[in-house]
């Protein structure tokens, strides 16, 4: 709620800084829009600065209005964000690793330990990165965990990317 309030407050001042921040906010999503790995939080981080500024201005305005009307509401306005912080800390330390591990490619070590054990039984190994996540590049992990020499890998032709995955 503080971001729209901040936008309205700064828009009313019609300053060059507001126009710059608004322009910044409007062009910030463009790097993320032109990639195939969406959504991309890393490429969307350019939006953080203008959003924080709009939010801070909005919270300042909101707290000023609330403080004039009611001290109890001001205390509630200060305490309420602490619940979000506590919830974030709880989720981060208790649930994040289990729920988001696949996006950090945490299962590749176990996979390639197994591949290393049975590699003599197969002529070729094919990976389907879409089955794991959109961000997977399993050949990099294969080279690392099996300690495969990079020069030998490149000399043999490296990875071939096809419609079905990396081979």
């Amino acid at each position: 709620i503080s971001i729209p309030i901040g936008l309205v407050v700064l828009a009313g001042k019609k300053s060059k800084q507001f126009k710059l921040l608004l322009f910044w906010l409007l062009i910030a999503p463009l790097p993320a829009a032109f990639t195939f790995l969406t959504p991309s939080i890393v490429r969307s981080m350019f939006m953080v600065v203008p959003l924080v500024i709009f939010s801070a201005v909005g919270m300042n305005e909101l707290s000023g209005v609330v403080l004039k009307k009611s001290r109890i509401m001001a205390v509630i306005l200060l305490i309420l964000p602490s619940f979000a912080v506590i919830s974030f800390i709880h989720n981060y330390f208790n649930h994040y690793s289990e729920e988001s591990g696949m996006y950090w490619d945490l299962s590749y070590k176990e996979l390639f330990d197994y591949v290393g054990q049975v590699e003599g039984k197969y002529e070729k190994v094919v990976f389907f990165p879409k089955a794991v996540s959109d961000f997977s590049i399993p050949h990099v992990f294969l080279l690392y965990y099996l300690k495969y020499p990079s020069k030998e890998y490149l000399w043999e032709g490296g990875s071939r990317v096809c419609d079905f995955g990396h081979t």
Side-chain angles (χ1 to χ4, degrees), residues 11-24:
K13 294 181 179 179
K14 298 181 181 175
S15 66
K16 289 182 181 180
Q17 291 86 356
F18 170 71
K19 290 177 184 175
L20 175 66
L21 286 170
L22 188 61
F23 178 72
W24 185 348

Side-chain angles (χ1 to χ4, degrees), residues 144-159:
Y144 177 77
Y145 287 120
L146 295 182
K147 296 177 181 26
Y148 199 86
S150 301
K151 288 183 180 178
E152 187 176 334
Y153 173 75
L154 293 171
W155 182 256
E156 292 172 350
S159 292

Side-chain angles (χ1 to χ4, degrees), residues 26-131:
L26 293 174
I27 66 165
L30 289 178
F34 293 113
T35 63
F36 69 94
L37 299 173
T38 56
S40 175
I41 191 67
V42 174
R43 292 180 187 93
S44 300
M45 286 181 65
F46 296 112
M47 296 172 58
V48 169
V49 173
L51 288 174
V52 166
I53 292 172
F54 291 140
S55 180
V57 170
M59 279 302 286
N60 187 45
E61 188 72 20
L62 186 62
S63 64
V65 170
V66 168
L67 193 56
K68 287 178 185 174
K69 300 216 179 221
S70 167
R71 294 222 183 257
I72 294 172
M73 286 300 290
V75 170
I76 291 172
L77 190 63
L78 290 173
I79 292 174
L80 202 57
S82 66
F83 289 113
V85 170
I86 291 167
S87 174
F88 170 79
I89 290 170
H90 169 76
N91 286 325
Y92 183 78
F93 287 108
N94 297 311
H95 304 287
Y96 180 73
S97 62
E98 291 176 19
E99 294 173 5
S100 302
M102 68 182 220
Y103 299 112
W104 293 96
D105 300 316
L106 296 178
S107 59
Y108 279 132
K109 181 175 182 350
E110 292 82 11
L111 171 68
F112 292 122
D113 284 345
Y114 175 75
V115 169
Q117 293 170 6
V118 298
E119 69 180 318
K121 297 180 181 179
Y122 302 98
E123 182 179 321
K124 185 192 288 191
V125 178
V126 179
F127 296 99
F128 297 94
K130 291 277 184 192

Side-chain angles (χ1 to χ4, degrees), residues 41 56 73 101 137 141-142 158:
I41 191 67
M73 286 300 290
I137 44 174
F141 294 97
L142 177 118

